[in-house]
Amino acid sequence: MLRALYSFVFRLALPLVLLQLWWASRGNATLRGNWRERLGWVAPSSGPVIWVHAVSVGETIAAAPLVDALLRRHPGCRILMTAMTATGSARARALFGDRIRYAFSPYDTPGAVSRFLDRARPAALIIMETELWPNMVALTEERGIPVALVNARLSERSARGYRRIAGLVHPMVAQLAWIAAQGADDARRFREIGASGERVSVTGSIKFDVVVDSVSRASAERLRRQLGESRPVWIAASTHDGEDEQILAAHRRVLERWPEALLMLVPRHPERFEAVAQRIQAGGFALVRRSAGGDDALAPGTQVYLGDTMGELLLLYGAADIAFVAGSLIQRGGHNPLEPAAWGLPVLAGPHVFNFEAIYAALDEAGGLVPVTGANSLASAVQALLADSDLRRRTGACALALIEANRGPLEAVLQGLAQRLPVLGASPP
């Protein structure tokens, strides 16, 4: 009953949702061209696929080791990856190229989801982290297609929200064939909102299985030569509105002590690239945009390097000495700190990290995290790390050691999927 009401309300809102998509797509051909996919009109599949849904960039990064492993173990495997955002889709394409298919996920109306299922023909659905939609889960499961939630996390804040709509959430969670939770607290919360105990396992986070390959390392070395090998370089990654001002204020203080220092500033969403560029220039900083291209070395006077391209964050981390992970100076919950940790960088973050609370706590305990609270403490932390190369190396080494000590959840996830998803326990689809 509640799902029917939810679907009715979603249908009523759909014209406004499409209008918002049109408005956001002005000047962006990618967004403008995907409205048909969002209504379920994806390219027909010639055979069954494994549908992997990763809402945006963070979930796509988390899915990368899993997708790579599935392709290796099942050479004939056809994977369709969906995302809700253009940044997530772009990151997937950068990671996997033509090895898999891509589409934008359907809006969660019965018609859009049914059309998608008819055309995509999934044999299994793997959802990353917490991206649960009632019709997506219900209509997929009702067709006998098993649904697994992998790398699942559920903060206490999100669990409280789910409890308020228990009548809608409980049956949806109960339909999941398996939940591979990142931690014991996540598993407990999923059980509390309706998951069957025998269908919930604690596997750890497959984000710890992130690998920096030789190609990425070579690309990062080339970029660092362009930026300047001897100059101090720090990165502020995945920033949101309300953080850029604080980061630029911190960089102004850093420049007072290290005039040659370079800040790589990487906004989370591409629609903010232009506004952030204008803010940097309005602050009087000498700016170079990555989208300008070219292989020439940056001028020594460049103060801010704007990462206004998509799918390159891992590369940019590799060219830095210190990483600040944003979404944490405002109440967005922080972003994944394990990519900079995999490069052996000291990780800085603000106080709001509830999206990855267990990972940040482990990173802090390991000695790889430097907590900050705002512009002044961020500037002080960057200055302290730049002034002490031994401290910088030790902190980065502690961050990398945490990664190495926690590798392995991917194998547990793959075994669990093989047991619960028939398509992965038998011959490849």
Side-chain angles (χ1 to χ4, degrees):
M1 176 62 185
L2 279 179
R3 185 160 66 89
L5 177 61
Y6 159 84
S7 299
F8 175 72
V9 172
F10 204 129
R11 284 192 183 103
L12 289 179
L14 191 56
L16 294 177
V17 173
L18 291 171
L19 181 62
Q20 190 276 333
L21 177 64
W22 170 81
W23 182 259
S25 70
R26 294 172 304 154
N28 188 326
T30 301
L31 286 176
R32 189 168 57 249
N34 67 50
W35 67 270
R36 288 178 59 82
E37 291 183 353
R38 294 182 186 272
L39 295 178
W41 297 103
V42 295
S45 173
S46 59
V49 300
I50 297 173
W51 175 13
V52 179
H53 178 61
V55 59
S56 191
V57 174
E59 294 78 9
T60 301
I61 293 168
L66 175 61
V67 172
D68 277 331
L70 290 174
L71 291 171
R72 286 197 310 271
R73 296 191 181 196
H74 300 264
C77 178
R78 288 182 289 269
I79 292 178
L80 171 63
M81 178 170 269
T82 59
M84 288 291 291
T85 68
T87 51
S89 181
R91 189 58 187 269
R93 292 174 189 275
L95 286 168
F96 305 115
D98 59 1
R99 292 185 293 161
I100 66 174
R101 289 178 53 205
Y102 309 91
F104 283 88
S105 55
Y107 287 133
D108 201 44
T109 64
V113 173
S114 294
R115 278 190 294 273
F116 181 93
L117 294 172
D118 289 341
R119 298 169 73 84
R121 299 175 59 193
L125 168 57
I126 300 172
I127 301 173
M128 300 304 301
E129 302 203 353
T130 53
E131 186 65 8
L132 294 172
W133 293 92
N135 284 317
M136 177 188 287
V137 172
L139 295 176
T140 302
E141 194 274 339
E142 287 169 10
R143 295 190 182 205
I145 302 166
V147 182
L149 185 65
V150 169
N151 219 46
R153 58 183 173 89
L154 186 64
S155 68
E156 185 56 43
R157 180 179 181 179
S158 296
R160 284 197 300 270
Y162 278 143
R163 292 186 196 107
R164 296 190 188 103
I165 50 173
L168 183 64
V169 171
H170 190 289
M172 173 180 63
V173 175
Q175 287 178 301
L176 297 172
W178 188 44
I179 299 174
Q182 292 188 22
D185 287 340
D186 300 295
R188 172 181 54 79
R189 291 170 190 142
F190 275 110
R191 294 187 190 102
E192 290 173 354
I193 65 169
S196 301
E198 67 275 11
R199 295 188 179 186
V200 181
S201 306
V202 178
T203 59
S205 174
I206 63 174
K207 290 185 176 180
F208 282 105
D209 287 288
V210 61
V211 175
V212 180
D213 58 31
S214 58
V215 174
S216 297
R217 291 190 183 279
S219 297
E221 289 172 4
R222 284 195 299 272
L223 175 59
R224 183 55 191 254
R225 287 194 293 270
Q226 294 168 24
L227 300 179
E229 293 179 279
S230 61
R231 73 192 312 183
V233 179
W234 68 289
I235 184 172
S238 298
T239 68
H240 294 265
D241 192 30
E243 292 185 302
D244 304 296
E245 300 90 337
Q246 298 181 67
I247 292 162
L248 290 171
H251 189 50
R252 196 178 299 280
R253 282 190 52 195
V254 171
L255 289 170
E256 292 173 0
R257 186 168 179 184
W258 284 276
E260 74 280 15
L262 179 69
L263 165 65
M264 289 195 289
L265 181 57
V266 188
R268 178 73 171 181
H269 298 117
E271 59 268 24
R272 296 186 59 244
F273 289 162
E274 191 60 40
V276 174
Q278 292 176 8
R279 182 172 291 125
I280 294 167
Q281 291 174 317
F285 295 95
L287 169 68
V288 169
R289 300 176 65 149
R290 177 155 179 78
S291 60
D295 295 329
D296 297 333
L298 262 66
T302 303
Q303 297 168 317
V304 180
Y305 186 72
L306 179 63
D308 59 345
T309 55
M310 296 169 66
E312 293 194 306
L313 184 56
L314 183 65
L315 165 65
L316 297 178
Y317 276 133
D321 301 309
I322 300 165
F324 169 73
V325 182
S328 59
L329 288 177
I330 58 172
Q331 294 204 17
R332 291 299 296 258
H335 295 297
N336 175 21
L338 296 180
E339 280 196 326
W343 281 103
L345 298 182
V347 177
L348 284 58
H352 306 292
V353 293
F354 52 81
N355 284 337
F356 298 90
E357 55 188 345
I359 290 177
Y360 274 101
L363 192 60
D364 192 16
E365 185 177 354
L369 177 70
V370 181
V372 301
T373 57
N376 289 335
S377 64
L378 176 58
S380 297
V382 172
Q383 288 176 333
L385 288 165
L386 291 179
D388 189 337
S389 59
D390 287 338
L391 174 63
R392 190 168 67 247
R393 282 192 291 269
R394 287 197 308 272
T395 307
C398 288
L400 179 58
L402 179 70
I403 294 277
E404 299 298 340
N406 285 275
R407 291 193 188 280
L410 177 60
E411 186 59 37
V413 168
L414 289 167
Q415 291 179 8
L417 290 174
Q419 293 169 8
R420 294 164 176 87
L421 306 184
V423 69
L424 293 178
S427 58

